[in-house]
Amino acid sequence: MTAAVTGGARAGEEPQVVVVGAGPVGQTAALLLARWGVRVLVLDRRGGRDPAGSKSICQQRDVLDVWTAAGAGRIAQEGLTWTTARTYYRDRELFSWSFQGEGPLPPFVNISQSRTEELLDAAIAGQPLVEVRWGHEVTGISQDGRGVTVHCGPRSVRAAYAVVCAGARAQPLRQALGVAFEGETFDEQFLICDIRADLPGWESERRFYFDPAWNPGRQVLIHPCPGGTFRIDWQIAPDFIPTQADISRKIRQIIGDRPFELLWNSTYRFHSRVASRMRVGRVLLAGDCAHLVAPFGARGLNSGVPDAENAAWKLAFVLHGWAPEELLETYHDERHAAALENLEVTAATMRFLAPRTPEDRARRRSVLERGAAGEVDSGRFAEPFWYVDSPLTTPEPSRPFTGRPARGAACAPAPGVILPDAPLGGGRRLRELCRDGFLVLLGDMCDSSLFVQVLGKVTTAPLAVREFAEIDGTGTLAGTLGARPEEAWLIRPDSHIAAIIPHAGPEAVAAAVSRASRLSWS
């Protein structure tokens, strides 16, 4: 049983959802909502796109998967995947490691945020359900039982819901919504430069330097990017204001007398903050508007895009009448928990990178001098958050969540965990089957026709019932995933496993579908 969602804009129709902010998170939300047949208006205070600066550069595999589903697969194709991460202390290399993860998509790519935005803009240009208006600063949002009114000075627009992706500086909107944004700002300052240079061998390596002679007592991080460009981050003194001569000198200390072109530079400070609420009635907060973390580990945009995906499918289900409005509260439940985990992980990294107490400084010095690879924390790379405690997840004792895996390792499939991707032959991927609604995957011992009959009475949402054996044509998928012949797996529209049901019967799967969409079932 399958169903497709289609839709088209009609002249004079008001948007169903207003997205505030045309950065990558807002762009993603708009594209995914339109994919569900929802009319979207995107408002941004800027006069147009700012094409300069790498900003957020490292995009994780599961985010690339979302963008591919949204029609921006070129991001994965154009990005650069380095193979080796090297870590140095002063003048010696401590250790190196490589990403081992296999899959249809690369484990990550490095690509500038400005280019990512261009590619997302191209996808939006081909989407008739999305309208973008620049030069519209949102000054307030009011709401009632029927919808929201988004105010842009004397102008206003009505919609059923709003998604605020207005970035870190959206404090007036947060305050108007009654949302606190508690946390801290680190004193340490960082200088970023994008350069173009010929650095043979460096184009496949990420380099992290602790306490190098040319930046004593602080860190330097070097990332390769496409087109012979490199992103360099220096930790600098809190009160240091670098001149162009300072920047040139710092670059020369790293690359020597090789020619280079300085493309862009900026300074920034780290923040660790999380919104007290990510859903306020008909308004959802996403991305930097809802959470700020230190960038080591690339957990900023890589958590903002899952915010957008989570919001999009839930808003679509409510707008289409496939789920009650209570489903939207689980957006806060799930993504707020994800933000808190990111805060915990990045806070531990910052205690190592910028220790504030004598004890932390002594521990860091000991770890670096011993070269204890397992204790050096330069940032745990972004990974999906697992909704094991979500009210939408059906627990299964025989499939327990085993906890956060080792760095670079995949998490064993369990309820709440994101479904591993896998090639299906003919250039297809498993995750491509998960984006159009609920997906029920059945083992060999399950009768698919019986499931279709029962589940069709439970939900009007798009839902497909497939057997593991039929999907890839080779009969190996179940073994690859570790699925058992008597099991049924329920996959959410964002590829997370909502339930794994042993000795599955249609009624048990129907109950899991109802739970995953907040429907009543008896």
Side-chain angles (χ1 to χ4, degrees), residues 154-288:
R155 298 169 292 184
S156 64
V157 62
R158 283 284 292 180
Y161 298 96
V163 182
V164 180
C165 313
R169 298 177 181 175
Q171 185 63 8
L173 292 179
R174 284 190 296 263
Q175 287 180 334
L177 291 166
V179 174
F181 202 47
E182 296 180 352
E184 61 179 324
T185 298
F186 289 88
D187 293 334
E188 293 296 327
Q189 187 180 197
F190 278 75
L191 165 68
I192 320 172
C193 289
D194 293 343
I195 68 169
R196 180 174 288 114
D198 183 16
L199 303 175
W202 290 36
E203 69 278 358
S204 61
E205 296 183 354
R206 185 224 70 177
R207 299 184 172 208
F208 198 111
Y209 292 86
F210 286 97
D211 196 18
W214 29 271
N215 199 39
R218 294 186 167 89
Q219 285 78 242
V220 177
L221 176 62
I222 305 169
H223 266 279
C225 293
T229 62
F230 295 84
R231 155 79 170 265
I232 310 177
D233 292 57
W234 290 265
Q235 184 183 9
I236 57 178
D239 57 350
F240 181 53
I241 303 175
T243 65
Q244 289 301 304
D246 293 326
I247 293 171
S248 180
R249 174 177 53 81
K250 285 181 172 295
I251 294 171
R252 287 277 174 229
Q253 289 173 331
I254 295 173
I255 71 170
D257 59 2
R258 296 182 180 93
F260 74 91
E261 178 185 1
L262 178 62
L263 304 175
W264 175 77
N265 65 271
S266 183
T267 57
Y268 65 95
R269 297 182 192 275
F270 295 159
H271 307 270
S272 292
R273 299 182 184 277
V274 176
S276 56
R277 291 284 305 169
M278 290 181 65
R279 179 216 175 192
V280 181
R282 290 176 172 266
V283 181
L284 307 183
L285 278 63
D288 286 354

Side-chain angles (χ1 to χ4, degrees), residues 415-428:
V417 172
I418 197 166
L419 180 72
D421 206 358
L424 300 180
R428 298 177 305 135

Side-chain angles (χ1 to χ4, degrees), residues 375-443:
E375 300 178 50
V376 174
D377 189 348
S378 58
R380 182 183 172 97
F381 189 55
E383 55 211 335
F385 182 73
W386 300 291
Y387 303 134
V388 293
D389 297 320
S390 167
L392 304 186
T393 300
T394 300
E396 172 46 49
S398 68
R399 290 281 193 175
F401 175 59
T402 55
R404 189 181 292 157
R407 181 170 62 182
C411 188
V417 172
I418 197 166
L419 180 72
D421 206 358
L424 300 180
R428 298 177 305 135
R429 298 183 294 110
L430 177 59
R431 292 260 191 94
E432 292 174 325
L433 305 179
C434 305
R435 302 293 182 185
D436 296 324
F438 286 118
L439 173 65
V440 177
L441 297 173
L442 300 176

